[in-house]
Amino acid sequence: LHTSMDDKTSLPTDPPNATGMDAIALHIRPMTLAEIDRVHLIDPLSFSMPWPLSSYRYELTENKASILHVAEYLNENETAIIIAMIVTWFIIDEAHIATIAVHPNYRRMGIGKKLLSTALQEAIQRGAKMATLEVRQGNLAAANMYTQFGFKGQDAARAKTYLTGIPTGFRDLDQLTCGFQPSDLIIIAGRPSMGKTAFVLNIAEHV
């Protein structure tokens, strides 16, 4: 899915409005290395094939194109807990939402919308003109949220991938290659700090 970033005023910024969630107690801020263990706990609760912990460490320490945010909530005991995260890759003039997830206990409160809005606003400030992302098949709740941001494209719930080889876990790549074939020699190339290692590690988690 993709959306134009030209209209900066079209990004929804509504705060969480569910019962028991105080918008004042919700804070969107940059992710730090010291908390990646807590961030990673959200991943297996949200995805069948989550990122490995090493991917977050790489994104924070080596990938200069990566922008990472967390949503932190101060609960009734005044304990700060991380309840959501987003990783955005900013390349030239395009932002790609690499991953976004909200802890199951805090979903449908507008947190994902606020987190995505923050990431896109920062991408705009850096000069992004286009934003892209992928939606997991059947994730209608996420697809509906992305529609509010103007994302358009092929409906992931209806997309079909015709695989004759090993799936990589990346839908668009699988559609182009039909999966990895026994005869393939795969070479991953790119400038330094563009996410090659994270890309390969994510494929390795799937194959």
Side-chain angles (χ1 to χ4, degrees):
L1 303 181
H2 66 274
T3 186
S4 171
M5 305 289 277
D6 294 333
D7 184 4
K8 300 180 182 180
T9 63
S10 66
L11 300 180
T13 56
D14 298 334
N17 53 13
T19 302
M21 172 62 73
D22 185 354
I24 298 178
L26 183 69
H27 180 48
I28 308 295
R29 60 170 178 77
M31 188 187 302
T32 66
L33 189 61
E35 61 202 11
I36 60 173
D37 287 328
R38 290 189 289 161
V39 170
H40 187 250
L41 291 175
I42 301 173
D43 232 329
L45 298 175
S46 304
F47 305 110
S48 58
M49 291 178 286
W51 280 18
L53 185 64
S54 58
S55 289
Y56 289 100
R57 183 176 293 106
Y58 170 82
E59 295 296 330
L60 278 167
T61 61
E62 298 186 49
N63 189 0
K64 295 180 181 179
S66 192
I67 309 169
L68 302 92
H69 291 90
V70 295
E72 186 178 65
Y73 178 60
L74 191 65
N75 64 17
E76 62 274 8
N77 298 322
E78 297 189 353
T79 301
I81 55 176
I82 294 175
I83 58 177
M85 56 79 180
I86 186 170
V87 179
T88 309
W89 294 334
F90 180 71
I91 304 173
I92 307 178
D93 61 353
E94 182 175 313
H96 177 72
I97 307 302
T99 187
I100 177 173
V102 179
H103 191 285
N105 292 345
Y106 297 90
R107 291 175 185 168
R108 294 177 176 81
M109 297 182 180
I111 298 169
K113 182 188 293 186
K114 190 172 181 64
L115 193 59
L116 181 58
S117 179
T118 298
L120 292 179
Q121 291 285 5
E122 180 166 341
I124 289 172
Q125 293 173 5
R126 295 191 182 201
K129 297 179 181 179
M130 177 74 70
T132 62
L133 53 79
E134 293 185 3
V135 187
R136 188 175 69 249
Q137 184 175 359
N139 193 348
L140 299 181
N144 290 335
M145 181 184 74
Y146 298 143
T147 299
Q148 298 178 44
F149 285 81
F151 282 93
K152 301 176 182 179
Q154 187 178 29
D155 185 350
R158 299 179 181 177
K160 294 182 179 179
T161 301
Y162 298 96
L163 294 175
T164 60
I166 301 173
T168 66
F170 292 88
R171 179 173 55 83
D172 289 347
L173 179 60
D174 287 340
Q175 288 178 334
L176 290 171
T177 64
C178 295
F180 286 164
Q181 309 299 320
S183 60
D184 285 345
L185 170 63
I186 308 298
I187 300 175
I188 307 298
R191 296 189 315 232
S193 301
M194 296 303 291
K196 297 186 296 296
T197 301
F199 177 62
V200 172
L201 287 173
N202 276 277
I203 290 178
E205 288 287 311
H206 293 88
V207 298

